[in-house]
Amino acid sequence: MKDVAGTPDTAPNAGKFQDPALTARGEPRAHVALSRPDTLWFNTGTLCNIECANCYILSSPTNDALVYITEAEVAEYLDQIETRQWPVREIAFTGGEPFMNPEMIGMARAALARGYDVLILTNAMRPMMRQHMRDGIEALNADFPGKMTFRISVDHWSEALHDEERGKGAFARTLEGMDWLQDAGVHMAVAGRTVWNESETEGRAGYARLFEARGYAIDAQDPGATVLFPEMDESAEVPEITTACWDILGKSPRDVMCASSRMVVKRKGAARPAVLACTLLPYAPEFELGETLAEAERNVALNHPHCAKFCVLGGASCSA
C-alpha cells in the first residue's frame, strides 16, 4: 500500500487512480465483489432546497443533473431485486433533498409494502414539512411501524458550525423538523461531519448534549444512529488500495460499501435510470455499471480517492 513519492510541484495523487487493474506503482489494484447485497439506494434527484458549502453531490435549487426518479422506475428495480434474488434488507433514498421529489411518499410506500426497511436521508426542512408530505409520512409510519428511519443531516451539534455549512437559520429549521418527527413517532438517526478537526469523543459528546436537550431518542454513541462521515476531498493525497492492503489493514473486501450496496440514478436526458457502484460517485462514468441490477453484479475496482479515504481507510458506510 506504498504511495508514490511527491514533490511540491506534483499535484495530489498525480499518476494515481488511472488504471482499473494496476496502481501507479504497477501493483494489482484491489477489487470488490458484490458479495452481500444488503441495500439498494435510489437517488431521488439532485435538486435541493439549500446549497451547502461542501456538498459532495453539488445539490442545489438549480442542479438537476440527476432528475427526479419515479415510483414506477423504483418499482421496476424492486422487481429486479426479486428476479435476481438479492438478499436486500433495506431500500434507501438520498438526494438532493428527497422530499423535493413529488413521488417520495409513493416510492417509500412501494418499498415498505414489499417488506423492506426504508432509510430516507433528509435535511428535515421545508420540503419535508409541507402538509401533504407530513400527512404521507404519518400514514407510512402508521401502516409500517418500525420499518422506516429518517437520517437527518446535522453537520455539527452546534448551531454556528452547522449554519456555517448550510446557511444562516438552517439549524433552527432542521430542529423544527426533527421536533415534528419526534412527536410523530418516526425513528430518527443523524448524519454529521468531521470537517472541524474535532475528536470523535468530543463530537459524540456534543451530539449527546443536543439530543438530551431536545428529547430526541437517538444514541450519540452508536455509529449506526449518529454517523460521523469523514470529509471527501478529491485533492487530498491518499494511497491507492492494492490487493495486499486487505491483510496489511486487517480488513476484508466484504467490509467495503460496494460489497453490499448499489445506487440507482436518473441522469438528465437519459431514457432510463442507471445503476452505480457507489453512492459517493454519481458523476464518475467509470462507476456506472449499466441499466440493470444484473449488469451491476460485476466487481468494482477501487480506482478513486474516495475508495481509499472514505471507505477503506475511513471505514465509513452510507447504509444504516
Side-chain angles (χ1 to χ4, degrees):
M1 206 175 73
K2 294 179 182 178
D3 211 340
V4 178
T7 70
D9 298 324
T10 302
N13 302 311
K16 300 182 190 177
F17 305 106
Q18 304 297 313
D19 186 334
L22 299 172
T23 69
R25 292 176 60 90
E27 298 169 294
R29 184 178 304 284
H31 287 66
V32 173
L34 184 67
S35 56
R36 49 182 185 93
D38 180 72
T39 303
L40 183 62
W41 287 83
F42 290 94
N43 187 291
T44 60
T46 40
L47 286 174
C48 187
N49 55 302
I50 59 174
E51 185 170 6
C52 297
N54 195 24
C55 178
Y56 81 97
I57 202 170
L58 304 177
S59 299
S60 76
T62 58
N63 180 13
D64 61 352
L66 302 182
V67 298
Y68 290 152
I69 201 162
T70 68
E71 181 181 345
E73 289 165 337
V74 168
E76 182 180 342
Y77 282 97
L78 299 181
D79 290 340
Q80 290 183 43
I81 291 174
E82 296 173 6
T83 299
R84 304 303 301 170
Q85 297 185 325
W86 284 15
V88 167
R89 171 189 60 85
E90 175 186 65
I91 301 299
F93 297 93
T94 185
E97 168 51 48
F99 288 100
M100 296 280 285
N101 188 315
E103 299 190 31
M104 185 61 249
I105 298 299
M107 292 187 292
R109 182 171 289 278
L112 290 164
R114 300 200 193 201
Y116 297 110
D117 292 339
V118 163
L119 174 67
I120 302 175
L121 277 55
T122 177
N123 57 38
M125 294 169 72
R126 179 172 172 77
M128 188 198 79
M129 290 293 283
R130 288 175 291 174
Q131 189 62 53
H132 70 282
M133 289 297 184
R134 285 188 287 166
D135 291 345
I137 292 165
E138 289 182 321
L140 290 175
N141 201 47
D143 292 344
F144 305 97
K147 296 291 287 181
M148 186 169 60
T149 297
F150 282 42
R151 184 189 289 164
I152 318 301
S153 297
V154 183
D155 287 334
H156 194 262
W157 49 267
S158 73
E159 181 174 17
L161 292 182
H162 178 92
D163 283 3
E164 180 180 289
E165 175 70 20
R166 293 183 173 252
K168 185 174 177 59
F171 190 75
R173 292 194 296 274
T174 289
L175 293 187
E176 179 185 356
M178 293 180 73
D179 289 347
W180 179 82
L181 289 168
Q182 177 81 351
D183 291 343
V186 177
H187 183 249
M188 290 190 294
V190 155
R193 305 174 75 161
T194 59
V195 68
W196 294 280
N197 296 317
E198 187 175 58
S199 73
E200 181 171 345
T201 299
E202 291 170 331
R204 293 194 181 279
Y207 282 106
R209 292 191 296 271
L210 173 65
F211 300 158
E212 182 178 9
R214 307 293 296 196
Y216 299 154
I218 305 172
D219 186 350
Q221 305 306 320
D222 180 355
T226 303
V227 189
L228 301 182
F229 286 117
E231 288 306 294
M232 294 175 289
D233 181 2
E234 292 188 30
S235 67
E237 187 75 30
V238 295
E240 295 184 281
I241 304 300
T242 70
T243 54
C245 286
W246 303 122
D247 289 337
I248 294 169
L249 297 170
K251 293 189 175 184
S252 165
R254 291 174 61 89
D255 299 333
V256 182
M257 190 164 57
C258 52
S260 61
S261 67
R262 294 289 186 262
M263 183 169 76
V264 179
V265 305
K266 181 77 175 289
R267 301 195 187 282
K268 187 175 183 178
R272 294 177 51 80
V275 187
L276 309 185
C278 180
T279 62
L280 306 177
L281 298 168
Y283 304 126
E286 65 271 29
F287 288 87
E288 186 168 318
L289 303 176
E291 295 181 348
T292 68
L293 297 189
E295 294 171 293
E297 289 174 351
R298 58 190 170 96
N299 292 359
V300 176
L302 299 186
N303 194 26
H304 192 279
H306 289 350
C307 302
K309 185 176 182 183
F310 187 87
C311 292
V312 177
L313 302 177
S317 173
C318 290
S319 296

